[in-house]
């Protein structure tokens, strides 16, 4: 299964609102920890190391 980089969330604005709400009232450290836990939960859900490697590479390229 290749990494899907095309828009794939039916309601991206709604998801963004959920993400912001999850961070509401958290300190920077707590927010960073939430992001780390979310990454690990989603990585476990994906479960495919090749796809995760592609995702890490894609994310790294977008930050350069």
């Amino acid at each position: 299964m290749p990494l899907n980089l095309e828009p794939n969330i039916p309601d991206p604005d709604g998801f963004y609102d959920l993400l912001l709400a999850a961070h509401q009232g958290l300190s920077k450290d707590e927010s960073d920890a939430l992001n780390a836990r979310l990454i690990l939960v989603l990585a476990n859900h994906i479960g495919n190391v090749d796809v995760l490697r592609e995702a890490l590479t894609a994310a790294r390229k977008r930050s350069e």
Side-chain angles (χ1 to χ4, degrees):
M1 139 174 73
L3 180 65
N4 180 6
L5 293 176
E6 297 302 316
N8 195 36
I9 299 173
D11 180 16
D13 291 335
F15 172 71
Y16 187 69
D17 289 342
L18 288 172
L19 185 60
L20 290 179
H23 287 268
Q24 190 74 26
L26 299 180
S27 69
K28 171 79 165 101
D29 287 344
E30 291 168 332
S31 182
D32 289 347
L34 171 62
N35 283 334
R37 288 190 304 273
L38 179 59
I39 289 166
L40 293 173
V41 166
L42 294 173
N44 182 68
H45 176 75
I46 293 167
N48 182 312
V49 175
D50 292 333
V51 172
L52 295 170
R53 185 178 292 111
E54 282 185 67
L56 288 167
T57 299
R60 181 71 187 227
K61 284 180 183 175
R62 292 183 187 271
S63 69
E64 293 175 350

